[in-house]
Amino acid sequence: MVQLNDNYLKLKAGYLFPEIARRVKAFCSANPEAAARVIRCGIGDVTEPLPPAVIAAMHKAVDDMAARETFRGYGPEQGHEFLRHAIAQNDYRDHGLDVADDEIFVSDGSKCDCGNILDILGHGNRLGITDPVYPVYVDTNVMAGHTGEANEAGAYAGIHYLPCDAANGFVPEVPTEKLDVIYLCFPNNPTGATASRAQLTAWVEYARSHQALILFDAAYEAYISDPAVPHSIYEIPGARECAIEFRSFSKNGGFTGTRCAFTVVPKTLLAATATGGRLPLHPLWNRRMSTKFNGVSYIVQRGVEALYTPEGKQQVRGLIDHYMGNAAILRTAAQKAGLPVFGGVNAPYIWVATPDGFTSWEMFDRMLCLANVVITPGSGFGSKGEGYFRISAFNSRANAEEFARRIAAL
Ligand code: MLT
């Protein structure tokens, strides 16, 4: 009989956000009078429309597809050159960072890239993953067979967890153990923490001295307002030799539904072969993308290109300011409710300690039933997330204000 992938049976629960959606749906079915009042600040999904510059560029791209002379069929699997160039120039070279156009790989999302990157990494790597963490890093390693079973607390054998708590400012310390692959996400999902230049430098030095790889998720870099906080791992000298960076257009340009992101794989990044040689990862990722991906739609890539025009940049600024205005409202409301509050300053997530010994899921139920608001339970991000919940600032201003009123009333 056909064999299934037993690794999937090790996964502890459904993926966090569908599980939340399932519980909210069940609540709304059982309480139809409350359903219309529900405010969703669970998943970090944008609410505001695409910037006008994007819409205009996409309309024009649709017209391109309507004429034989400008029609496009398959595009390059790595992304159209116009977009790879715009990204490398605007996000890196304009900031003095050495990233070539062909080190940019355009994709349909950072979540996909974070999972797919395992295709080019071996099976014996020692994994370092923060706790709490964006669950994709853990679950994709479980699916790929890189872990053993989970224990009662949900921790998988074979993962070295890097605890993040209030004591270390939710930034993991460099371990004494030797790790091979380390996942870092800054600004952080879920805690909203940022890593300083000194902290990232310590990680880059660790990675270089252990010949390890940092997988750096910078999906929320556009939310950094503190000029001292690095936006890219490549701001740290030596990172081109030890880091891959993931970035997304979901949270800056509002592309969660439209889908587009990119991954930077420096050509200077080497990894070991089974026979002890050292080879670059860049050609492997290129091969992987050419084989398993046919590129992001031309229309979407033209839309993303428009984010880099002067109008596009201004409109993105407007979106970020809108969501960070919500973050300030939500943060203040949670503080006024007397709760310990983290994040929400250089990130669109507010990380809040639960009151009165409530577990994260108890707090989720309480807020849904009593205030009809949806948050994300911290334990869904790992055992160290227990005792916390996350509020997403992605919403309309009216909903953020109403959410704040309801927290106060609760
Ligand atoms: C989140 O809520 O953590 C994010 O929206 C998830 C994602 O970006 O995939």
Side-chain angles (χ1 to χ4, degrees):
M1 191 176 200
V2 62
Q3 295 278 299
L4 54 73
N5 180 349
D6 280 291
N7 296 312
Y8 278 63
L9 309 182
K10 296 178 198 161
L11 293 165
K12 285 308 281 176
Y15 184 58
L16 177 61
F17 295 107
E19 175 62 17
I20 290 173
R22 190 188 65 72
R23 292 187 186 214
V24 174
K25 194 168 170 209
F27 171 80
C28 292
S29 308
N31 303 278
E33 70 300 339
R37 289 188 84 236
V38 169
I39 298 176
R40 291 171 170 77
C41 287
I43 190 166
D45 193 5
V46 294
T47 54
E48 304 309 296
L50 291 172
V54 170
I55 296 296
M58 289 174 77
H59 279 162
K60 180 174 176 313
V62 170
D63 289 340
D64 289 347
M65 298 299 270
R68 180 175 298 280
E69 299 70 36
T70 46
F71 172 79
R72 310 282 183 120
Y74 289 125
E77 297 87 357
Q78 302 81 356
H80 282 287
E81 281 184 14
F82 64 78
L83 184 55
R84 298 176 89 187
H85 175 74
I87 293 169
Q89 188 66 46
N90 285 274
D91 286 336
Y92 296 100
R93 294 198 291 269
D94 284 355
H95 301 276
L97 305 179
D98 170 26
V99 171
D101 295 1
D102 62 357
E103 292 177 321
I104 304 288
F105 292 85
V106 178
S107 77
D108 59 344
S110 280
K111 177 173 160 182
C112 320
D113 286 350
C114 289
N116 291 334
I117 201 73
L118 297 181
D119 278 7
I120 64 165
L121 301 178
H123 286 285
N125 289 315
R126 284 158 289 203
L127 302 169
I129 300 187
T130 59
D131 181 6
V133 74
Y134 179 44
V136 170
Y137 314 150
V138 173
D139 288 2
T140 53
N141 275 288
V142 176
M143 291 169 175
H146 294 169
T147 73
E149 298 289 343
N151 66 17
E152 297 234 314
Y156 287 93
I159 293 182
H160 181 95
Y161 288 92
L162 303 161
C164 295
D165 52 25
N168 62 15
F170 301 97
V171 179
E173 275 110 33
V174 168
T176 44
E177 296 83 356
K178 180 173 170 13
L179 302 174
D180 301 308
V181 177
I182 300 120
Y183 289 78
L184 296 179
C185 170
F186 291 105
N188 187 255
N189 178 12
T191 65
T194 51
S196 68
R197 193 169 299 280
Q199 287 165 323
L200 291 181
T201 300
W203 274 107
V204 167
E205 284 172 2
Y206 171 90
R208 293 197 66 193
S209 66
H210 291 88
Q211 302 188 328
L213 170 66
I214 296 174
L215 296 176
F216 192 77
D217 185 348
Y220 299 94
E221 64 77 32
Y223 289 84
I224 296 172
S225 56
D226 181 343
V229 174
H231 287 242
S232 166
I233 192 71
Y234 303 120
E235 290 181 41
I236 311 301
R240 280 184 56 85
E241 279 70 51
C242 66
I244 286 175
E245 180 162 290
F246 303 102
R247 287 215 195 171
S248 169
F249 298 104
S250 286
K251 314 292 162 95
N252 58 1
F255 275 62
T256 54
T258 311
R259 309 303 308 146
C260 198
F262 66 90
T263 290
V264 185
V265 185
K267 286 184 228 153
T268 39
L269 179 61
L270 306 181
T273 65
T275 51
R278 280 163 66 77
L279 287 176
L281 284 170
H282 183 277
L284 272 67
W285 187 243
N286 192 48
R287 183 72 165 84
R288 189 258 167 221
M289 293 298 270
S290 322
T291 304
K292 293 196 181 182
F293 191 55
N294 261 332
V296 175
S297 106
Y298 169 71
I299 298 164
V300 169
Q301 292 193 59
R302 281 294 186 202
V304 171
E305 184 189 26
L307 292 172
Y308 292 104
T309 61
E311 319 78 73
K313 286 180 183 175
Q314 200 180 13
Q315 291 159 10
V316 167
R317 191 67 258 152
L319 287 172
I320 304 288
D321 289 347
H322 166 79
Y323 292 124
M324 288 313 290
N326 288 349
I329 291 167
L330 295 163
R331 215 183 119 80
T332 306
Q335 273 167 339
K336 280 196 180 149
L339 302 175
V341 174
F342 307 90
V345 176
N346 290 291
Y349 295 125
I350 298 122
W351 187 243
V352 187
T354 58
D356 304 329
F358 284 113
T359 68
S360 302
W361 277 109
E362 282 166 359
M363 198 64 194
F364 172 88
D365 288 335
R366 189 175 154 81
M367 291 186 77
L368 181 58
C369 297
L370 301 183
N372 304 147
V373 296
V374 181
I375 46 93
T376 304
S379 57
F381 298 104
S383 63
K384 289 270 182 265
E386 183 54 276
Y388 290 91
F389 62 95
R390 190 192 77 175
I391 311 174
S392 156
F394 292 108
N395 221 313
S396 65
R397 182 55 48 86
N399 274 352
E401 287 170 348
E402 177 59 18
F403 190 114
R405 275 192 288 278
R406 292 191 201 169
I407 291 191
L410 196 65

